[in-house]
Amino acid sequence: MAADLGELLVPYMPTIRVPRTGDRVFKSECAFSFDSPESEGGLYVCMNTFLGFGREHVERHYRKTGQSVYMHLKRHVKEKATGAAGGGAIPRRRNGKVFLDLELNRDFNGEDYEYEDEAKLVIFPDHFEIPLPNIEELPALVTIACDAVLNAPSAYKKQEPESWEEEIQVSRHARSLRQLDNGVRIPPSGWKCQKCEMRENLWLNLTDGAVLCGKWFFDGSGGNGHALEHYRETNYPLAVKLDTITPDGADIYSFEEEEAVLDPHVSEHLSHFGIDMLQMQKGTENGHHTDNKPRPRVSEWEVIQESGMKLKEVYGSGYTGIKNLGSSCYLSTVMQVLFSIPDFQRMYVGNLQRIFDYSPLDPTQDFATQMAKLGHGLLSGQYSKPPMKSELIEQVMKEEYKVLNWHQQKGISARMLKALVSRGHLEFSSNRQQDAHEFLLHMINLVERNSAGSENPSDVFRFLVEERVQCCQTRRVRYTQRVDYCIQLPAPFEAASNREELLAYEVKRKEAEENMRPPPEPVRARIPFTACLQAFTEPENVPDFWSSALQAKSAGVKTSRFASFPEYLVVQIKKFTFGVDWVPKKLDVVIDVPDFLDLNRLRATGLQAGEEELPDLMPPIVLPEDTRDNSMSSLDSPEIDEAAVMQLAEMGFPLEACRKAVYYTGNMGPEMAFNWIIAHMEEPDFAEPLTLPSMIDPGPSAGDSPTGAALLGNSPPEESIAILTSMGFPRTHSIHALKATNNNLERALDWIFTHPEEEEESDALSDMADTEPNDNAFSNANSHSDSTLSPDGDASGPRVKDGPGRYELFAFISHMGASTMSGHYVCHIKKEGRWVIYNDHKVCLSERPPKDLGYVYFYHRLSSS
């Protein structure tokens, strides 16, 4: 038999590889679905690429690559026999070596289930199976490869050590910590060091309840080190930082071990001093905001999650939860909302087979594939099945409600998508909590970049904003348009409808703090949504405004209106501000957000009768060392480095071209001017004399000046374009980058590197037109063709789906916590006429959707009828 197996495998030996250092072995999840070794069909791992595939998708990989040998992994989960011994926290494994590094499924209660693992080689297309281990009968190379795959860490576990955060260990004092029965009770706020006046960086000793300050830091912050002194006097080892206590844990330090530690019994240790972890929220400073508001957050956590209510779980298509991977709820909520929008469903789920069939050889690195995979997982209902009636009856009989049948997977894992979309991003690639709004914009950007030449579902969010800037001195105006995907509304405290109640509360809070008494019940500012909209449309000052009418800096004001209305409107409430420590702090407010919204009155009107436009003139180039006088003669006789001009002319270039090169690069030297010449020498006016704008001569038209240097229009400063083109980037690509980043050179350079697919199209566009399309904040909107045009019908303008400004609320994302760097996110989505709450893997019908506590709101446009 051994010879037979050896001969059978001989044709496939060149395709069987042993995993090397750096190879990722995907043995826990399919690249196209959420099938795993615990699924009914198990998981097939390619012995050449080490990609994993469910039964439904392994044939596709075989047909595409010709790879024939796969390792089939199957985990059988069985309920322990009644009276089985050793019902510990970790289930017994009958074949413990097979999946040495495969994570246990936490959906199964370890006291009631045990695992039996099975592995075998499968040869396609005949599905010939070879059970493993089979050392005697398999060739040595195959045996080594199989052992390496079985014992290799999963692809995701290999990524975990990349996090900069050290793994915190459990303190050896945690289990046996002695706590004094001295009657100490810690109030929820008003803390102060017992040995000094410090009210920040306070630590509670978990043995005697002493509240003392931490150590002094080099920047003058911190404390006087009284907590450490107390340990040296008493040897009481553990202390918890008071402003870090949350329902999920707290920051704990061991003086004896001299490092941050974990305390699995911290809840019990805190309750000894009267502290209920559910009543606390990370980020409080002495129990209150930097704006002097107390910060007990219990009501926010309970209200948003609808705690205490008997919420009915829902199952089926569109009701699949997403497992929390560790502070990944910001991703879960955004993806749940995106895949509740028909355009995203059509793009990724409707085209599922086409996307999968044309996916690259490594589908784990393909954006469309992973979006289609997640969308299908959420919408198919395949991973959201209700328990059988017999199982429910059995649970009632046993009085056990935590154990569900293991086939009913409690949510899907977005780990593969998260690894892909966060790659190269400093924050999203970490395991820390992030801003859901920032992640939404990040996803929109990725969808834009990966939709070239195809339907772009993020078009539903895109709209035009008209900005009107007025020179306060001449009263002249300028109208410009930019692209946006979200409106950010401020939360003006001065407009609170319960202002008197807030003032009374503030008086009581200060009195309680001075007398070291517990604070009064907190009062949240209640702000009308109309006040938020009003604040959004208020004129704002424009810093460093340059008036082309005065040819000098002047005071300017800007107002914004909708030049078009999107199909789906995203509204972010600006609840976060920065504290004195530069940590984002959350405003304690509720907003009366309406279910229906009519924004038609905010539609832009353009230039009005009686308004006079500012001249389309560029401000002069001013270098830091420029000490020009206050006369205007510099516009007619610009200062040009004649030595640099002559140096370039000696190379054989036309004199006037050399003068323009030196001028447009800001006298930054002959090398930079030479790069400008190389980039512009094919232009028809290359050798024509340098012509500068003035108040009398408005300068050449766009058609006369392909460089667009004299036009304010929508073209970035020519010197910025020259710097980028001198680095070898195409001119049109450089203009797109500058427009997308408000002419910030550093950000434009980063934009170019993150939009490489734009370059080839930019080269083609530069041959088609001399002028650029409308100014917009996301210039990659101009790089795709679409049947939906800008309002004026210009096919080269940004694509928008304009329509009436009447909307209905259909989803909102809520945040619990003190800042975007901590806390938790959930989302509510209206489906089939009822509100549904998505709280990680839990999906239930909502009883009281907390619309007034949301952070990001999503509206869909109502039909005009």
Side-chain angles (χ1 to χ4, degrees):
M1 183 63 182
D4 293 341
L5 286 180
E7 293 176 3
L8 178 67
L9 288 169
V10 165
Y12 310 108
M13 293 289 284
T15 67
I16 298 177
R17 292 201 305 119
V18 178
R20 298 189 298 266
T21 302
D23 283 338
R24 297 186 300 166
V25 180
F26 293 88
K27 61 180 185 179
S28 60
E29 186 176 286
C30 173
F32 293 104
S33 71
F34 295 94
D35 288 348
S36 72
E38 293 164 6
S39 301
E40 184 177 352
L43 191 72
Y44 294 82
V45 178
C46 175
M47 293 301 291
N48 182 269
T49 63
F50 311 117
L51 295 170
F53 303 96
R55 177 187 293 174
E56 183 183 350
H57 302 284
V58 65
E59 293 277 1
R60 176 188 290 107
H61 186 258
Y62 162 69
R63 292 193 303 268
K64 180 179 291 187
T65 65
Q67 299 297 333
S68 300
V69 184
Y70 296 81
M71 180 181 291
H72 182 249
L73 305 178
K74 181 74 177 84
R75 167 165 289 171
H76 303 278
V77 182
K78 298 183 179 181
E79 189 172 2
K80 288 184 178 179
T82 304
I90 300 178
R92 182 168 63 86
R93 307 169 85 175
R94 294 186 181 176
N95 197 346
K97 186 181 179 181
V98 171
F99 297 165
L100 185 63
D101 204 60
L102 200 60
E103 295 178 355
L104 301 180
N105 192 330
R106 298 185 181 183
D107 295 337
F108 312 141
N109 190 313
E111 297 181 0
D112 300 292
Y113 290 90
E114 61 186 4
Y115 297 136
E116 181 178 355
D117 297 339
E118 177 186 1
K120 53 191 174 185
L121 283 182
V122 180
I123 302 176
F124 282 74
D126 298 325
H127 292 267
F128 186 86
E129 298 180 355
I130 305 174
L132 296 174
N134 199 336
I135 301 176
E136 296 82 6
E137 301 184 29
L138 293 178
L141 174 63
V142 178
T143 299
I144 294 171
C146 291
D147 285 344
V149 169
L150 290 172
N151 292 296
S154 69
Y156 306 116
K157 280 196 172 184
K158 294 193 74 171
Q159 295 173 358
E160 290 174 3
E162 295 176 5
S163 173
W164 61 268
E165 298 177 2
E166 296 183 12
E167 184 177 354
I168 301 177
Q169 303 295 327
V170 174
S171 170
R172 61 171 171 265
H173 301 289
R175 184 179 298 274
S176 58
L177 183 70
R178 182 172 65 95
Q179 292 189 284
L180 303 184
D181 191 11
N182 54 10
V184 172
R185 291 292 181 269
I186 305 300
S189 65
W191 312 311
K192 186 178 75 169
C193 177
Q194 295 177 2
K195 294 186 178 181
C196 67
E197 296 299 315
M198 288 295 300
R199 292 180 179 270
E200 298 178 352
N201 193 24
L202 298 177
W203 294 78
L204 168 68
N205 191 286
L206 290 176
T207 297
D208 63 356
V211 176
L212 300 159
C213 61
K215 63 181 180 180
W216 179 85
F217 297 112
F218 68 92
D219 62 356
S221 63
N224 298 313
H226 289 138
L228 180 59
E229 288 181 10
H230 185 68
Y231 161 71
R232 290 170 178 167
E233 296 169 359
T234 62
N235 285 328
Y236 298 156
L238 299 183
V240 59
K241 195 164 188 253
L242 281 175
D243 63 348
T244 67
I245 303 172
T246 74
D248 300 320
D251 292 350
I252 301 169
Y253 187 81
S254 172
F255 295 106
E256 192 269 335
E257 295 162 281
E258 296 186 343
E259 63 179 354
V261 295
L262 296 177
D263 178 6
H265 309 285
V266 63
S267 179
E268 300 172 15
H269 293 156
L270 290 172
S271 66
H272 180 81
F273 300 108
I275 298 177
D276 183 351
M277 289 179 64
L278 292 178
Q279 306 294 319
M280 305 298 293
Q281 172 55 41
K282 185 175 182 178
T284 57
E285 290 291 343
N286 197 21
H288 57 78
H289 271 306
T290 53
D291 57 1
N292 297 325
K293 288 186 176 62
R295 293 302 304 275
R297 282 283 176 185
V298 59
S299 60
E300 181 183 65
W301 284 78
E302 290 184 347
V303 171
I304 290 179
Q305 297 187 101
E306 303 187 55
S307 302
M309 298 182 183
K310 294 183 179 180
L311 302 180
K312 179 183 178 182
E313 291 190 0
V314 285
Y315 303 91
S317 174
Y319 300 111
T320 304
I322 301 178
K323 293 179 181 179
N324 196 321
L325 306 173
S327 298
S328 65
C329 49
Y330 67 91
L331 177 146
S332 303
T333 54
V334 168
M335 300 314 298
Q336 290 283 11
V337 174
L338 288 182
F339 277 108
S340 69
I341 297 174
D343 297 73
F344 281 83
Q345 296 173 1
R346 281 195 305 270
M347 174 64 184
Y348 296 110
V349 184
N351 295 319
L352 184 80
Q353 290 304 320
R354 183 181 61 81
I355 291 174
F356 284 177
D357 288 341
Y358 290 94
S359 64
L361 293 180
D362 186 357
T364 67
Q365 302 303 305
D366 183 59
F367 180 79
T369 300
Q370 293 309 309
M371 287 289 284
K373 169 185 171 178
L374 182 68
H376 179 263
L378 294 176
L379 300 175
S380 66
Q382 183 177 342
Y383 305 99
S384 177
K385 298 177 181 178
M388 304 294 290
K389 285 185 178 181
S390 59
E391 295 162 356
L392 292 174
I393 295 173
E394 185 179 353
Q395 290 172 14
V396 173
M397 294 293 291
K398 291 182 177 182
E399 296 183 356
E400 294 175 355
Y401 297 92
K402 293 183 180 179
V403 183
L404 290 176
N405 182 281
W406 68 275
H407 288 291
Q408 276 70 56
Q409 181 174 345
K410 298 297 291 182
I412 58 179
S413 169
R415 186 183 279 114
M416 198 172 287
L417 177 72
K418 182 180 186 297
L420 177 63
V421 301
S422 64
R423 186 177 56 197
H425 194 286
L426 179 63
E427 290 300 324
F428 296 142
S429 60
S430 73
N431 292 326
R432 299 183 293 274
Q433 187 62 277
Q434 303 299 331
D435 188 335
H437 174 251
E438 289 185 7
F439 183 74
L440 171 64
L441 296 180
H442 178 68
M443 285 302 302
I444 290 175
N445 187 30
L446 288 177
V447 171
E448 289 270 1
R449 290 165 53 185
N450 288 278
S451 297
S454 62
E455 178 187 359
N456 181 3
S458 66
D459 284 350
V460 299
F461 298 123
R462 189 186 296 111
F463 61 95
L464 295 175
V465 176
E466 179 187 88
E467 292 187 342
R468 176 186 182 272
V469 180
Q470 183 174 40
C471 172
C472 295
Q473 194 165 342
T474 65
R475 313 304 295 177
R476 287 183 163 189
V477 298
R478 173 178 301 117
Y479 286 87
T480 58
Q481 290 185 348
R482 62 176 174 83
V483 170
D484 215 331
Y485 294 85
C486 169
I487 61 170
Q488 296 177 291
L489 299 185
F493 264 86
E494 63 276 7
S497 58
N498 57 342
R499 187 173 179 80
E500 294 183 0
E501 189 180 0
L502 289 169
L503 294 174
Y505 162 75
E506 187 64 19
V507 172
K508 293 179 181 178
R509 187 199 63 77
K510 289 183 177 180
E511 290 178 354
E513 184 175 296
E514 292 172 357
N515 299 318
M516 294 296 291
R517 295 197 307 267
E521 187 71 20
V523 176
R524 282 192 173 92
R526 181 168 291 278
I527 302 175
F529 186 79
T530 52
C532 299
L533 273 179
Q534 182 64 32
F536 169 74
T537 58
E538 289 288 332
E540 58 179 302
N541 293 325
V542 180
D544 297 324
F545 173 69
W546 188 84
S547 172
S548 58
L550 298 173
Q551 296 279 301
K553 288 186 177 181
S554 171
V557 293
K558 179 179 71 175
T559 55
S560 300
R561 292 291 188 275
F562 288 92
S564 70
F565 289 114
E567 190 173 351
Y568 286 82
L569 178 69
V570 182
V571 179
Q572 180 210 16
I573 303 298
K574 297 169 70 174
K575 286 190 171 184
F576 295 97
T577 183
F578 284 98
V580 294
D581 53 359
W582 288 93
V583 174
K585 304 292 184 181
K586 187 174 180 181
L587 303 178
D588 197 10
V589 298
V590 292
I591 310 292
D592 297 324
V593 176
D595 286 314
F596 296 93
L597 198 58
D598 190 342
L599 301 178
N600 283 308
R601 63 185 178 84
L602 298 182
R603 185 179 281 277
T605 56
L607 188 68
Q608 296 295 293
E611 289 183 331
E612 186 177 358
E613 286 191 276
L614 286 162
D616 284 343
L617 302 176
M618 286 289 291
I621 299 173
V622 181
L623 300 177
E625 65 273 11
D626 190 357
T627 55
R628 60 191 175 94
D629 56 28
N630 50 10
S631 68
M632 299 298 293
S633 60
S634 59
L635 286 174
D636 300 320
S637 303
E639 292 185 7
I640 296 179
D641 185 354
E642 294 296 339
V645 171
M646 296 309 300
Q647 190 172 344
L648 292 169
E650 290 173 359
M651 299 181 186
F653 298 114
L655 180 63
E656 291 301 329
C658 298
R659 288 176 56 81
K660 287 198 293 186
V662 173
Y663 174 77
Y664 287 133
T665 55
N667 290 322
M668 297 177 69
E671 183 177 353
M672 190 68 72
F674 175 79
N675 291 330
W676 187 95
I677 288 176
I678 298 301
H680 295 80
M681 60 191 311
E682 299 298 329
E683 295 173 356
D685 64 342
F686 174 68
E688 293 181 6
L690 173 65
T691 304
L692 297 177
S694 67
M695 294 185 66
I696 301 175
D697 176 18
S701 66
D704 296 333
S705 177
T707 64
L711 290 172
L712 179 63
N714 296 309
S715 184
E718 188 64 32
E719 64 272 17
S720 299
I721 300 173
I723 292 174
L724 291 177
T725 55
S726 68
M727 299 179 184
F729 301 114
R731 174 178 173 81
T732 310
H733 198 198
S734 302
I735 293 174
H736 280 188
L738 289 165
K739 287 182 177 182
T741 56
N742 290 330
N743 299 330
N744 183 302
L745 267 176
E746 184 177 351
R747 290 173 54 207
L749 190 60
D750 179 68
W751 188 95
I752 289 175
F753 285 119
T754 56
H755 294 71
E757 68 279 1
E758 305 286 336
E759 186 167 342
E760 294 183 6
E761 192 163 349
S762 296
D763 290 337
L765 287 174
S766 64
D767 296 332
M768 295 169 57
D770 291 332
T771 57
E772 293 303 312
N774 284 339
D775 178 33
N776 64 82
F778 291 81
S779 64
N780 52 10
N782 292 328
S783 62
H784 311 306
S785 61
D786 196 278
S787 59
T788 308
L789 307 177
S790 55
D792 58 5
D794 182 6
S796 65
R799 301 179 319 280
V800 294
K801 297 187 176 183
D802 196 10
R806 296 177 61 250
Y807 294 93
E808 180 181 4
L809 181 69
F810 79 95
F812 60 95
I813 295 174
S814 305
H815 174 268
M816 295 154 281
S819 81
T820 54
M821 300 170 65
S822 63
H824 182 57
Y825 288 97
V826 302
C827 69
H828 288 72
I829 305 176
K830 195 172 186 179
K831 292 188 175 183
E832 299 176 330
R834 55 188 184 175
W835 283 98
V836 180
I837 178 173
Y838 293 80
N839 188 353
D840 291 334
H841 65 277
K842 294 175 289 187
V843 182
C844 303
L845 293 180
S846 173
E847 295 288 338
R848 297 178 184 173
K851 302 172 189 175
D852 55 354
L853 290 174
Y855 173 44
V856 184
Y857 295 87
F858 297 82
Y859 286 83
H860 68 83
R861 185 162 58 205
L862 294 172
S863 59
S864 56
S865 57

